[in-house]
Amino acid sequence: MAKTPQQIQAEEKRAGLVLIAAAALALIAANSPLAHYYHDLLEFKFGPTMPRFGQFSVEYWIVDGLMAVFFLLVGLEVKREWFEGRLSTPDERRLPIIAAIGGMAVPALVFLAVVGFDPHLSAGWAIPAATDIAFAIGVLAILGRHAPAAIKLLLVTIAIVDDIGAVAIIALVYTADLNTLALAGAGAVTAVMGTMALYGVRKLRYFLIGFFVLWLLVLASGVHATIAGVLAALTIPLGKGEETSPLRRLEHNIHPWVMFGIVPIFGFAAAGVELPSDMSALFEPLPLGIMLGLFIGKQIGVFGTIYFACKTRLARRPRGTRWAQIYGAAILCGIGFTMSLFIGALAFPAHPSEIDAAKIGTLMGSLLSALVGYAVLRFNNARPSTAEEIEQAGDVFCADDELKRQEKARKGVSETA
């Protein structure tokens, strides 16, 4: 039975809280007498010998294995939104694309300015460029009706475009030496999966087998293995207009496992950093650059580009929103938790101290963005959204048209075909 929009909103709220709890648990474990057990768990190796890497540790299975499924879900959501959702027309794409570009470029420039363009630290330029969809949606869900529906729509579409940019950065920037044979094999498998879709193959098991083979080849190629998730998602049939298409079925089936399983597990594995006893360590160039990039750079980049685009008529301000509310959403875009931690580990693979410093900067910047963004939206004295306004704006927690129709039926509102 399909879930109502209220049930989906409550689920997103719980997922955000679970992620916060997992990160808090990791911080407690890493700063307590249990620290050595925590690190031993992450470093424990098991399973088969993997191409280029040997036997994986628990941490590697999470980062290179489970996170590939996370990126599969991201790819499915992006494809659906691009072809029949919130990014399906040029007008709908324009504002979030402009905002996402500004929201990635300005934080990177702020970071580089703070670290003084140091050749070693500059590798982390992309860490503050990402927005965490799960965390941001969790904050919006906690806000409830105090976050206008149009603001929810704007923030989520920006985050979706932001994810596209983050995936491109990971694929193009954070790669090892390439194995051209494995890369060619990955391209061939992707082509086969795309051909299957064109010729009407609808059984998900064939695409899931292809996803596993593709993951092995991308892993061996030197491109980060998580990119296999995005490539696989692009080949799975959307069946535009179909409510039981392979893409929708897979997205529906893996969404709770990703949001309540994989994302919190990654948060637990990535957030466990020993906090410095000397607070001056927070003002070292690397953590300070990330913190300011997320908290200052994101709000300037997102809000500044939206304001410029609207004033120059490149795009229209979302109907029913105030500039103060857009500013609050821009601050929430500075929550870079999952993606920033992920990119931080890729930026400094052989330097654990830099990875820990990047984690501290990410946690501080994300926390500041969450708290201040929440306060701006909660206490701006704006009238909370009504149920009708949420429906008109296209509630961001409605995954498909069936949910919208179900909500209309519940209210007794007739809908034409």
Side-chain angles (χ1 to χ4, degrees), residues 148-171:
I151 289 297
K152 295 177 182 178
L153 180 63
L154 176 64
L155 190 144
V156 173
T157 50
I158 291 173
I160 290 169
V161 177
D162 192 288
D163 266 2
I164 297 173
V167 169
I169 289 171
I170 292 169

Side-chain angles (χ1 to χ4, degrees), residues 267-355:
F268 178 76
V273 58
E274 184 177 351
L275 298 176
S277 56
D278 183 4
M279 295 301 291
S280 64
L282 296 175
F283 299 97
E284 293 292 324
L286 180 56
L288 182 63
I290 295 171
M291 181 175 67
L292 293 181
L294 287 170
F295 182 58
I296 302 298
K298 271 289 184 181
Q299 58 179 283
I300 293 175
V302 172
F303 183 78
T305 51
I306 290 177
Y307 187 83
F308 174 80
C310 293
K311 290 300 181 181
T312 58
R313 300 182 183 275
L314 288 173
R316 292 176 295 178
R317 190 175 76 184
R319 187 174 58 182
T321 61
R322 299 180 180 181
W323 284 115
Q325 294 165 338
I326 293 176
Y327 179 59
I331 297 173
L332 288 182
C333 286
I335 302 174
F337 188 79
T338 304
M339 291 299 294
S340 293
L341 291 174
F342 186 78
I343 294 175
L346 299 180
F348 305 104
H351 302 277
S353 60
E354 277 84 354
I355 292 176

Side-chain angles (χ1 to χ4, degrees), residues 67-272:
M67 287 301 284
V69 182
F70 168 80
F71 278 92
L72 173 64
L73 177 62
V74 170
L76 295 173
E77 292 177 340
V78 167
K79 182 174 180 178
R80 175 173 53 78
E81 294 291 352
W82 188 268
F83 287 104
E84 59 179 35
R86 294 183 288 269
L87 299 173
S88 59
T89 68
D91 284 344
E92 291 171 325
R93 294 168 187 162
R94 189 175 298 117
L95 186 61
I97 287 175
I98 292 171
I101 291 172
M104 299 182 79
V106 177
L109 291 174
V110 169
F111 172 84
L112 290 171
V114 172
V115 301
F117 294 87
D118 181 292
H120 174 61
L121 298 181
S122 293
W125 65 270
I127 298 173
T131 295
D132 189 299
I133 290 181
F135 215 134
I137 288 179
V139 173
L140 289 174
I142 294 170
L143 279 163
R145 294 188 184 278
H146 291 282
I151 289 297
K152 295 177 182 178
L153 180 63
L154 176 64
L155 190 144
V156 173
T157 50
I158 291 173
I160 290 169
V161 177
D162 192 288
D163 266 2
I164 297 173
V167 169
I169 289 171
I170 292 169
L172 297 174
V173 178
Y174 298 111
T175 58
D177 294 333
L178 295 179
N179 181 321
T180 54
L181 182 61
L183 197 60
V189 171
T190 303
V192 169
M193 293 173 69
T195 303
M196 287 164 49
L198 287 175
Y199 279 88
V201 176
R202 314 294 284 176
K203 293 188 180 297
L204 273 174
R205 61 174 174 268
Y206 297 125
F207 291 97
L208 294 178
I209 292 171
F211 169 45
F212 177 70
V213 175
L214 182 60
W215 178 78
L216 289 173
L217 288 168
V218 174
L219 179 70
S221 74
V223 176
H224 200 273
T226 52
I227 300 302
V230 178
L231 294 176
L234 296 179
T235 68
I236 296 174
L238 172 62
K240 192 171 182 180
E242 298 180 25
E243 294 176 6
T244 58
S245 67
L247 185 145
R248 291 182 183 279
R249 293 201 311 272
L250 182 59
E251 182 183 359
H252 174 76
N253 289 335
I254 70 173
H255 185 270
W257 292 98
V258 171
M259 300 308 294
F260 289 97
I262 291 174
V263 171
I265 288 172
F266 175 77
F268 178 76

